[in-house]
Amino acid sequence: FANGQQTIDNSQFVYQSGEDLIINAQGMIQIVDVLGRVVYQSEHFNDINRIGVGNFDNASYVVRCVNGKEVKTEMYFMWSYC
């Protein structure tokens, strides 16, 4: 996902801590399921963001952060500790 004016950074920026995702990025953060549905979207202004995902299904998701011309994406498998 890119156009001629965007840069793409795919280095790891998502970590899971218990029932939270820790996302090291600023900007519009989206979590998208494998069917392409946006299951979470919010603007974040901090470098480190904690997002509760305890109600998400155990599955793969794409985490995308758009900040100006920079786009970060990461495929992430969320799993429950239960």
Side-chain angles (χ1 to χ4, degrees):
F1 162 90
N3 66 33
Q5 297 180 2
Q6 292 178 324
T7 60
I8 297 177
D9 178 358
N10 286 326
S11 59
Q12 185 173 8
F13 67 101
V14 178
Y15 305 90
Q16 188 168 353
S17 176
E19 292 189 347
D20 292 335
L21 277 188
I22 309 302
I23 300 178
N24 298 321
Q26 292 182 8
M28 178 59 69
I29 295 175
Q30 294 180 325
I31 300 175
V32 182
D33 70 12
V34 295
L35 297 176
R37 297 177 295 198
V38 176
V39 296
Y40 176 88
Q41 178 172 300
S42 185
E43 186 80 21
H44 290 267
F45 301 101
N46 299 316
D47 288 330
I48 300 175
N49 302 284
R50 188 175 285 268
I51 298 171
V53 293
N55 61 338
F56 283 38
D57 292 333
N58 292 347
S60 292
Y61 295 86
V62 172
V63 179
R64 177 173 46 220
C65 179
V66 179
N67 188 358
K69 294 181 181 180
E70 181 182 30
V71 178
K72 292 182 177 185
T73 60
E74 185 174 335
M75 180 68 99
Y76 195 83
F77 183 81
M78 285 188 228
W79 55 282
S80 168
Y81 284 92
C82 298

